[in-house]
Amino acid sequence: MAVQEPAEPMLLPPRHHWRAVAAVAVSVVLAAFVASLAGNPNMQWDVVGNYLFSGQILDGLANTIILTILCMAIAIVLGIIIAIMAMSGNPVLYWVAQAYIWFFRGVPLLVQLVFWFNLALLWPRIGLSLPFTDIDYTISTNVLITSFVASVLGLALHEAAYMAEIVRAGLLGVDSGQSEAGRSLGMSDGQLLRRIILPQAMRIIVPPTGNEVISMLKATSLVAFIAGGDLMTAVQNVYSHNFRVMPLLIVASIWYLIVTTLATFLQFYLEKRVGQGFSSVASRSKRA
Amino acid sequence: MQAMVQISRLNKSFGAHHVLQDINLDIEAEKVTCVIGPSGSGKSTMLRCINRLETPNSGTITVDGELIGYEREGANLRELSTRRIAQQRARMGMVFQRFNLFPHLTVLQNVIEAPIQVRKMAKAQAEADAMRLLGQVGLTQKASAYPSELSGGQMQRVAIARALAMKPQLILFDEPTSALDPELVGEVLEVMRELATTGITMVVVTHEISFARDIGDRLVFMADGQIVETGEPKEMLANPIQARTKEFLSRIK
């Protein structure tokens, strides 16, 4: 007589009673919120649709992107210079860099924007003029500092203080053996920085810089305060005439989300690129 | 015999710690000088003073007759600009305990970097030289690999090729095998053994007593920031004169 083999027990996952309860509760609240938003006549979705691709809004969007790219480019270059000053042996350069970071990080961005916009109150004319000579190349400050220029100055100089700290952390994060190896080969300080230290520091600098780009995209909306011509300025111009505040804020939000999402993809791609030679598998085997 | 390196009354302190105390040493050209001694005896610091990765507190070092790091200004010595010091360093190679390869560059790029940047050599010429040197250290196959893909022994062989690419007058080895797994030490020592036959001046800070005995032309024993004893390696290892040397050798045997 054949002996009945005991059946192999099936392996079951643990029961998550509360998980289901929590999921249902959150889903219900979320669904109710979305339904009330989508069906809300005050949202005026047709207005959102009408303005999403209107020329005025797209011009504002273009300005937002230009402002972001331009200001980040200035801030990165200036940030590298300030970081190098902050790490130099020259005490004057060191203190100037520290003071810059202290001031531009400490004063709110909106205050700085309004300051630059009103620079003419401080210096009505700007330029080069030498006393006791005929040399006088000056220009009216109000002509030079348009609201766009004030926006660029305010955003870029403020951002440079943050970039300086990010770059400094990146430079300090490169192993000191790297500069010793470069020096032992006869490389000058400049060659060492450009060819050996900065490329490796980029790996540390890029991720937080990506965050700064996304912050900058959103911070550009502050220039609406001085009519900087960005997306938020455009939206404000429209709703100050037609009073459709909510739908126009939705238009702005949709565009901000699209652009920040694209920036996130770009950041991911850049991080892969600067990580060359530093794959996680490889760094593990190096430690072993 | 002409001295390639002359160290005279060299002193170096880190804070209150007097690491090098009045060191005098002549290193002969085209010879292999091995420096041994307990950790903290100042061997590496002395080596790093030769190419001025460390700045001495006092004393002078000359390489091939040229004063390192200073120029004479009347009775005094004026420190050279960083650019001039970089030019002096370009004539000496250095191999580090922890390899210090450039991780963002391939093996080939590591070797051609300084010849192109510092020597302003044409890229094609630098690459041809680099491939020959990689052949010399047995790593032609790894030219396009990144350092992180290599074993410790392979990394150190690349580091030797990188130093040689500058055609240095002398090459300084700072414990080149101390960071290696035991089974990888041999391949690096083999490369150094072959290098010694080419007649380049080598200064090797090491814990490998057998290498010092077999390859070294001269042995220097350091302890507590001083040179205790120097001599012909086989003779000195068999019959050390100083009690401090005897004690050290008996502990590591």
Side-chain angles (χ1 to χ4, degrees):
Chain A
M1 201 168 85
V3 179
Q4 183 89 34
E5 282 275 334
E8 187 80 9
M10 268 170 61
L11 302 178
L12 304 170
R15 294 182 194 276
H16 294 290
H17 300 291
W18 289 105
R19 219 184 244 189
V21 172
V24 168
V26 170
S27 302
V28 166
V29 172
L30 197 63
F33 176 71
V34 171
S36 112
L37 201 63
N40 192 327
N42 296 329
M43 283 305 303
Q44 297 168 301
W45 289 101
D46 55 321
V47 179
V48 173
N50 286 343
Y51 279 101
L52 195 56
F53 295 102
S54 84
Q56 212 176 347
I57 299 294
L58 292 182
D59 283 350
L61 177 65
N63 271 338
T64 287
I65 293 170
I66 291 168
L67 266 178
T68 303
I69 294 172
L70 189 61
C71 294
M72 280 311 297
I74 296 171
I76 288 170
V77 173
L78 198 55
I80 291 173
I81 294 169
I82 295 166
I84 292 168
M85 284 168 67
M87 291 171 76
S88 87
N90 185 329
V92 174
L93 296 187
Y94 170 82
W95 284 110
V96 168
Q98 294 298 325
Y100 182 95
I101 293 169
W102 168 77
F103 181 83
F104 284 94
R105 219 166 50 161
V107 176
L109 178 54
L110 188 56
V111 175
Q112 293 186 35
L113 284 168
V114 176
F115 170 84
W116 289 112
F117 188 60
N118 291 296
L119 199 64
L121 300 178
L122 199 54
W123 290 290
R125 295 186 72 78
I126 291 182
L128 177 76
S129 86
L130 294 179
F132 316 118
T133 65
D134 294 339
I135 298 172
D136 183 29
Y137 302 106
T138 62
I139 181 170
S140 156
T141 303
N142 276 331
V143 172
L144 186 69
I145 309 285
T146 62
S147 61
F148 183 80
V149 173
S151 302
V152 171
L153 282 173
L155 290 169
L157 296 184
H158 176 259
E159 183 58 34
Y162 285 89
M163 282 311 304
E165 289 292 90
I166 290 172
V167 171
R168 199 173 65 95
L171 295 177
L172 289 174
V174 177
D175 180 46
S176 63
Q178 292 293 307
S179 18
E180 291 192 347
R183 284 215 188 89
S184 79
L185 290 164
M187 297 177 87
S188 67
D189 288 351
Q191 287 170 335
L192 199 59
L193 188 70
R194 251 184 314 110
R195 305 283 309 174
I196 307 299
I197 307 298
L198 262 182
Q200 295 183 59
M202 287 313 280
R203 204 174 102 261
I204 309 167
I205 292 171
V206 164
T209 303
N211 290 338
E212 291 300 307
V213 171
I214 289 167
S215 289
M216 175 65 87
L217 267 167
K218 296 179 297 172
T220 52
S221 63
L222 283 175
V223 310
F225 202 87
I226 57 171
D230 74 316
L231 177 58
M232 190 63 198
T233 312
V235 164
Q236 268 187 354
N237 284 343
V238 177
Y239 72 57
S240 63
H241 288 105
N242 66 10
F243 306 109
R244 309 282 174 94
V245 176
M246 275 300 163
L248 278 151
L249 288 180
I250 294 289
V251 167
S253 303
I254 289 171
W255 281 119
Y256 280 122
L257 282 172
I258 289 172
V259 181
T260 51
T261 306
L262 290 177
T264 308
F265 285 131
L266 190 69
Q267 177 185 12
F268 179 76
Y269 165 78
L270 262 180
E271 274 177 36
K272 291 211 91 157
R273 238 194 98 103
V274 293
Q276 216 160 38
F278 293 93
S279 69
S280 54
V281 179
S283 60
R284 224 179 298 137
S285 70
K286 192 162 59 176
R287 247 174 275 133
Chain B
M1 193 59 73
Q2 186 213 346
M4 172 61 80
V5 181
Q6 286 182 300
I7 301 174
S8 165
R9 305 210 59 186
L10 181 68
N11 282 279
K12 175 69 184 174
S13 299
F14 293 116
H17 184 36
H18 201 170
V19 187
L20 295 176
Q21 300 169 18
D22 250 359
I23 299 284
N24 291 289
L25 181 67
D26 283 4
I27 291 166
E28 289 170 43
E30 297 174 26
K31 298 281 164 127
V32 178
T33 302
C34 292
V35 184
I36 59 169
S39 358
S41 57
K43 329 181 277 294
S44 289
T45 306
M46 180 179 77
L47 201 69
R48 291 160 59 83
C49 284
I50 297 176
N51 71 348
R52 220 173 165 80
L53 285 182
E54 301 289 352
T55 308
N57 294 100
S58 68
T60 59
I61 296 173
T62 64
V63 172
D64 200 19
E66 185 180 333
L67 192 57
I68 296 298
Y70 299 97
E71 59 188 346
R72 299 199 184 278
E73 192 178 278
N76 302 320
L77 297 179
R78 169 76 66 185
E79 188 164 344
L80 293 174
S81 67
T82 52
R83 186 162 289 272
R84 290 277 302 280
I85 291 173
Q87 285 166 357
Q88 293 185 328
R89 284 198 189 109
R91 291 165 29 205
M92 307 175 235
M94 186 160 197
V95 174
F96 297 86
Q97 182 179 350
R98 304 213 57 88
F99 330 129
N100 294 348
L101 292 183
F102 305 132
H104 61 302
L105 302 178
T106 64
V107 165
L108 184 65
Q109 288 168 337
N110 261 277
V111 180
I112 64 173
E113 179 68 18
I116 290 177
Q117 295 294 322
V118 179
R119 292 259 187 269
K120 311 296 178 200
M121 196 184 276
K123 189 163 184 238
Q125 177 66 47
E127 281 182 347
D129 284 5
M131 289 311 290
R132 185 178 50 74
L133 287 167
L134 288 176
Q136 192 179 327
V137 300
L139 286 172
T140 319
Q141 305 295 321
K142 296 286 183 186
S144 55
Y146 281 95
S148 56
E149 295 158 3
L150 305 180
S151 72
Q154 290 170 331
M155 283 197 255
Q156 197 59 299
R157 282 145 66 196
V158 174
I160 293 171
R162 179 176 70 176
L164 290 175
M166 291 296 283
K167 302 188 172 66
Q169 290 171 300
L170 85 153
I171 182 160
L172 311 167
F173 292 87
D174 188 4
E175 304 197 21
T177 58
S178 297
L180 296 175
D181 291 339
E183 81 270 20
L184 302 176
V185 169
E187 61 188 72
V188 172
L189 291 182
E190 189 50 43
V191 165
M192 291 168 61
R193 201 182 301 263
E194 277 172 31
L195 191 58
T197 65
T198 65
I200 191 172
T201 309
M202 292 167 65
V203 186
V204 188
V205 169
T206 186
H207 291 294
E208 298 290 330
I209 299 296
S210 60
F211 177 84
R213 182 192 300 117
D214 300 342
I215 307 302
D217 297 299
R218 186 141 174 261
L219 187 60
V220 175
F221 173 67
M222 284 181 77
D224 303 321
Q226 290 168 330
I227 291 176
V228 177
E229 186 171 351
T230 72
E232 197 281 324
K234 289 185 188 68
E235 174 61 28
M236 192 171 137
L237 289 168
N239 304 304
I241 296 165
Q242 301 293 332
R244 191 77 182 79
T245 318
K246 280 179 195 162
E247 186 210 344
F248 175 73
L249 290 175
S250 71
R251 268 193 290 122
I252 59 167
K253 261 169 194 163

